[in-house]
Amino acid sequence: MAIDRFTGEHSIAFIRVEQLFDLARRNSLWYMAFGIACCAIEGLMSASGPRFDFDRMGVFFRASPRQADVMIVAGTVNKKMAETVKTLYDQMPEPKWVVAMGACACTGGPFREYPNVVLGVDQIVPVDVYIPGCPPRPESVQYGFMQLQDKIKKQTEDRLAARRDSH
Amino acid sequence: MTDARDIATEAGMLAPEGTHHPGLPPAGIRRAPEGVDGLTTEHLIINMGPQHPSTHGVLRMIVEMDGEEIVSAEASIGYLHRGIEKLAEHRQYNALGTLMDRGDYVSGIHGELASALAVEKLMEIAIPAKADYLRVLLSEINRIASHLVWFGTFGLDTGAMGQFLYAMRDRENLVDILEGITGARMMFNYVRPGGVLADLPAGMAAKILEFCSGFDKYIEEHHDLLGGNEIFQHRVKGIGAIDRDTALAFGLSGANLRGSGVAFDVRRERPYAAYGEMEFDVPVGSTGDSWDRYMVRMEEMRQSNRMIRQCLEGMPEGDFTAKVPRVLRPPEGEVYAAVESSRGETGIHLVSQGGDTPYRFHYKAPSLYALQALEEILPGHLLADVVMIIGSTDIMLGEIDR
Amino acid sequence: MLPDETVIKHILADAGQSDADIQETALGLVCTLAPSVVASALAAFKESELDFATLVDLMGTDTGEEIELSYHLRSFTRDEEIHIKCRVAYDSEISSVWNTYPSALMPERETAELFGLTLSGHPNPKRLLTTDGVEPLLRKSSVIRTLQEVRDR
């Protein structure tokens, strides 16, 4: 491909539509602002603040699940909250991903012994990326998002490779 | 600064108070017109939350509306109930700070301090002077950091965006300082029964002083940016007023209580740590509306900044922790220790029956009482004001649900 | 900071409890009453010259035999505090004091829920923190998960 790096003028690129979609999805992971507990301050507020500024990665928060690609579960999910988490996940359009942020969302964290706490959000919704830490630093969340991007890329590549092999 | 109302009156938007046209609601008290002829209205129940970008956590408000006006409001909580009180009964006394950090997660030091003070009161441990000063220093740094989060999100609640970015810029600098001292950005576990975890690292005092001198200027910038905005003033002045009696009856504390005109500050009335030696003013509001609460919190940040300087100047030499056994076994007894956290009076009611875990650990959360008052003050306001009034009380769901 | 004991006794006698147990402990002045007179005693305290305008805190404790309720009152005009305690049996009914102190609304619901009590005279005696069917979690009989249960999740 001979694309002018700066303007893209007079250039033509040949790309599979699947890969184009994949490129777009990977670079506009809009997450749903769904801060449950402490992790929300680190993963949603600091992340959208001026220092870490996730906007530059195309990671941006949306207030409605209908407009979101990613759900960051940032905090302890208890039995009262579990139903809401499931409902919100169901409301998100496909394709969708879930990031379990922090020890609580991964396994129950420091509150795992309390009978009212759900032991990890993966008991309710399928989780793509686990970010450990209590709370994880914004850098960890950034790394988690990069892992998610890799995962999306790899899924597309695997699909294409499988089709190639079957021919 | 010119009062926004004067300008608006000149432009003919609002009639001056007392001269309003009969039949129209007076400015400031926004009430829907009563009994419009031939029309009956149906009440509408609106559910906000638990996933709502402006409820500061997982609060669910169920409001009954008559047109735009709120008839009744009910707060539904418990979406973050994770058993801090129950788990504390199974934790050693040293580990209580870990749970308290995650209670009021924006100002963790205050929670830790409250639990440490309760244990020290029970065991009658004498604290070195340096530890007291470090506790005050960290408390006040944390108070500014917490108030900055409130300041940023309160602006978001009223529809402004810019101040959030500036507030987060300053907060990141504070978090750097906190990280340098305690090793963590949010969950510090720095205040322990007997003292604190560590001394100030080398060069940290200069870094804090640098922040202080910068913050003197920044706080005025923040205030000009948000408080100087006429749209903001229109949205908060006279809205969400809590009078003195209501504030007392609903057990408010902290800036919410002081905004209503009661000059009660735990730091002054029941001095703990080194607050007895600090010089600071307690700002007090008059009408108890959202603007008063805003002004009180802004002034608290200036006072905190002042106290940080005093701490660094008067920092005594010596140990930063008393000699305490590794496993604490307080005698039987019952104590109540309170601190002035960013949100109000955070109290720990600790019952011990000997042994190395508490028998009962009760966390008195100031936000819970502020939330109850919301149910009382919201009726009569407009739906658009709900989010703003919630923001003005600075509630924290982590400590409400515990 | 501690109110005058004789005045307290006088107020309590008017409220119908003449032989109240008043002790000075590390907590402050603790006054133990029979559960039936707590509501009237709190109303009397609020109206008295001591002016206990605020209920700062309300908590329950499972003593192993019964539930101990503890009301923490504060007077802002006189800067005095008092703790009122009463002991009620498991699963019993407690009368709400929200008419006197509206700040008891949510703490009462919480205490009733987490200790398995029922509320009478409360405007909204629903569960506050947990969903239906959850056992009273703060009772000593309620156990937390073991490490093995967490591992086998």
Side-chain angles (χ1 to χ4, degrees):
Chain A
M1 292 190 299
I3 300 182
D4 184 319
R5 272 187 67 203
F6 299 106
T7 64
E9 278 175 57
H10 310 300
S11 306
I12 297 168
F14 290 97
I15 187 169
R16 283 179 185 274
V17 177
E18 254 173 304
Q19 281 173 319
L20 185 68
F21 280 6
D22 168 73
L23 193 71
R25 274 172 196 153
R26 259 191 291 138
N27 293 299
S28 64
L29 288 170
W30 290 4
Y31 62 83
M32 183 170 64
F34 186 32
I36 303 179
C38 341
C39 290
I41 305 292
E42 290 286 77
L44 307 181
M45 284 179 61
S46 296
S48 56
R51 181 177 294 183
F52 297 99
D53 192 18
F54 280 19
D55 293 15
R56 69 203 147 93
M57 294 168 62
V59 176
F60 186 72
F61 85 90
R62 301 304 301 172
S64 162
R66 311 263 182 210
Q67 301 165 348
D69 305 300
V70 186
M71 178 159 83
I72 309 181
V73 184
T76 325
V77 179
N78 67 14
K79 285 181 179 164
K80 195 170 180 178
M81 195 65 191
E83 208 179 318
T84 314
V85 173
K86 182 80 180 112
T87 313
L88 288 167
Y89 179 75
D90 290 343
Q91 284 176 346
M92 282 164 59
E94 292 278 355
K96 54 190 171 189
W97 297 277
V98 177
V99 175
M101 180 188 172
C104 290
C106 291
T107 61
F111 303 100
R112 60 188 180 275
E113 290 155 309
Y114 195 55
N116 197 39
V117 169
V118 174
L119 291 171
V121 74
D122 51 3
Q123 305 204 330
I124 310 162
V125 293
V127 175
D128 295 277
V129 178
Y130 296 87
I131 307 176
C134 191
R137 300 173 64 89
E139 292 96 323
S140 311
V141 184
Q142 197 167 1
Y143 182 68
F145 268 100
M146 283 152 71
Q147 294 286 309
L148 184 60
Q149 287 178 336
D150 285 352
K151 180 174 178 172
I152 297 168
K153 189 178 177 187
K154 186 147 191 312
Q155 274 175 345
T156 315
E157 280 170 358
D158 286 352
R159 208 162 48 237
L160 286 174
R163 208 177 309 146
R164 207 160 42 234
D165 293 345
S166 66
H167 283 312
Chain B
M1 192 189 319
T2 325
D3 192 304
R5 184 160 288 148
D6 300 339
I7 297 167
T9 312
E10 281 165 22
M13 285 161 67
L14 284 173
E17 276 182 66
T19 63
H20 67 276
H21 189 270
L24 283 177
I29 307 166
R30 300 186 195 165
R31 285 209 156 264
E34 283 172 19
V36 182
D37 294 336
L39 280 177
T40 52
T41 53
E42 207 170 277
H43 286 193
L44 185 70
I45 309 260
I46 291 184
N47 175 49
M48 296 172 72
Q51 189 266 332
H52 191 275
S54 310
T55 48
H56 298 237
V58 282
L59 169 66
R60 180 175 165 211
M61 290 298 287
I62 303 156
V63 286
E64 186 185 352
M65 311 288 306
D66 178 10
E68 270 288 280
E69 191 191 276
I70 295 164
V71 181
S72 68
E74 189 194 338
S76 172
I77 59 174
Y79 292 94
L80 193 51
H81 179 58
R82 43 192 183 173
I84 289 177
E85 292 182 3
K86 178 78 179 177
L87 290 176
E89 292 171 12
H90 299 268
R91 296 275 190 277
Q92 291 192 344
Y93 286 94
N94 274 326
L96 294 178
T98 321
L99 290 171
M100 292 301 293
D101 268 338
R102 288 154 181 82
D104 180 359
Y105 39 79
V106 181
S107 56
I109 293 281
H110 302 113
E112 290 168 18
L113 185 51
S115 66
L117 285 175
V119 177
E120 283 157 8
K121 212 168 169 182
L122 205 54
M123 296 185 68
E124 293 169 0
I125 305 173
I127 307 302
K130 182 158 196 182
D132 275 346
Y133 267 76
L134 282 169
R135 285 172 173 192
V136 173
L137 177 70
L138 270 283
S139 290
E140 295 308 320
I141 292 176
N142 206 182
R143 192 183 313 277
I144 298 183
S146 168
H147 278 3
L148 281 173
V149 171
W150 160 81
F151 171 78
T153 51
F154 184 41
L156 290 181
D157 293 342
T158 56
M161 180 75 201
Q163 86 298 326
F164 173 77
L165 299 171
Y166 287 99
M168 289 310 277
R169 175 199 65 189
D170 285 359
R171 182 176 182 270
E172 289 293 346
N173 292 337
L174 281 171
V175 167
D176 277 353
I177 292 172
L178 286 169
E179 193 184 359
I181 302 172
T182 68
R185 280 169 60 90
M186 274 175 76
M187 306 304 172
F188 313 107
N189 205 9
Y190 177 74
V191 182
R192 309 277 173 92
V196 294
L197 171 68
D199 200 354
L200 288 185
M204 186 51 78
K207 199 174 169 188
I208 298 172
L209 279 177
E210 191 192 324
F211 174 84
C212 284
S213 52
F215 193 70
D216 280 338
K217 190 163 92 266
Y218 291 149
I219 180 76
E220 303 309 330
E221 265 180 32
H222 291 326
H223 178 58
D224 284 351
L225 188 64
L226 189 64
N229 187 326
E230 287 175 20
I231 303 169
F232 176 77
Q233 291 189 2
H234 268 296
R235 292 231 31 207
V236 298
K237 278 192 179 167
I239 307 297
I242 309 175
D243 60 37
R244 190 178 187 279
D245 291 340
T246 314
L248 289 178
F250 277 88
L252 294 189
S253 54
N256 298 330
L257 182 64
R258 291 193 284 276
S260 299
V262 183
F264 184 88
D265 189 320
V266 184
R267 291 174 290 179
R268 170 165 292 174
E269 309 296 329
R270 316 259 189 279
Y272 55 92
Y275 280 112
E277 297 154 40
M278 297 289 146
E279 264 183 43
F280 62 102
D281 300 329
V282 177
V284 178
S286 52
T287 57
D289 59 0
S290 303
W291 176 254
D292 276 0
R293 289 194 283 279
Y294 168 84
M295 291 300 271
V296 166
R297 288 209 174 83
M298 294 308 271
E299 185 57 32
E300 272 186 22
M301 282 199 260
R302 295 186 189 106
Q303 297 300 330
S304 294
N305 203 14
R306 200 173 140 198
M307 269 185 270
I308 292 173
R309 284 210 183 88
Q310 292 174 30
C311 278
L312 290 174
E313 276 165 21
M315 183 73 71
E317 294 295 317
D319 287 338
F320 53 81
T321 178
K323 287 238 181 315
V324 286
R326 189 162 288 177
V327 178
L328 301 168
R329 287 200 177 78
E332 276 189 37
E334 190 171 353
V335 287
Y336 176 82
V339 301
E340 181 77 23
S341 87
S342 315
R343 267 149 270 283
E345 179 187 342
T346 296
I348 295 297
H349 196 133
L350 189 63
V351 184
S352 158
Q353 294 204 341
D356 51 8
T357 57
Y359 185 76
R360 174 84 168 98
F361 179 85
H362 178 70
Y363 179 1
K364 186 251 163 188
S367 295
L368 180 69
Y369 295 85
L371 183 69
Q372 308 186 81
L374 283 180
E375 292 185 354
E376 172 77 10
I377 59 173
L378 281 180
H381 289 94
L382 303 183
L383 182 63
D385 292 332
V386 173
V387 166
M388 194 278 294
I389 295 172
I390 294 175
S392 76
T393 52
D394 192 19
I395 53 172
M396 175 57 56
L397 268 293
E399 66 170 15
I400 290 177
D401 292 345
R402 277 160 282 152
Chain C
M1 205 164 136
L2 293 182
D4 191 357
E5 227 171 279
T6 50
V7 182
I8 301 271
K9 279 205 171 115
H10 194 67
I11 295 166
L12 286 173
D14 287 352
Q17 175 103 17
S18 46
D19 55 339
D21 173 26
I22 304 176
Q23 281 182 338
E24 208 182 308
T25 66
L27 194 60
L29 206 62
V30 179
C31 170
T32 312
L33 302 178
S36 53
V37 297
V38 165
S40 57
L42 287 182
F45 274 124
K46 190 177 185 181
E47 297 306 319
S48 71
E49 76 262 31
L50 298 179
D51 190 24
F52 285 110
T54 302
L55 176 77
V56 178
D57 193 13
L58 162 59
M59 69 174 259
T61 311
D62 184 357
T63 59
E65 289 144 14
E66 51 208 340
I67 309 285
E68 186 184 81
L69 297 174
S70 170
Y71 300 81
H72 182 177
L73 308 183
R74 180 179 291 156
S75 155
F76 283 94
T77 47
R78 296 171 63 109
D79 197 12
E80 288 171 349
E81 293 185 23
I82 188 171
H83 294 258
I84 313 272
K85 291 194 171 190
C86 71
R87 292 184 166 212
V88 296
Y90 288 124
D91 302 314
S92 62
E93 193 177 73
I94 57 171
S95 52
S96 173
V97 297
W98 79 275
N99 269 322
T100 318
Y101 294 112
S103 59
L105 280 167
M106 277 187 182
E108 268 181 350
R109 282 167 71 187
E110 181 195 313
T111 311
E113 172 188 2
L114 293 176
F115 288 97
L117 304 169
T118 44
L119 281 171
S120 72
H122 194 282
N124 190 11
K126 283 191 297 195
R127 277 175 169 268
L128 186 67
L129 297 175
T130 55
T131 43
D132 288 340
V134 176
E135 57 170 343
L137 287 163
L138 277 182
R139 276 198 195 168
K140 290 288 172 187
S141 58
S142 153
V143 289
I144 60 171
R145 287 187 184 123
T146 59
L147 204 56
Q148 197 56 42
E149 278 177 86
V150 175
R151 282 192 188 133
D152 299 343
R153 70 193 181 96

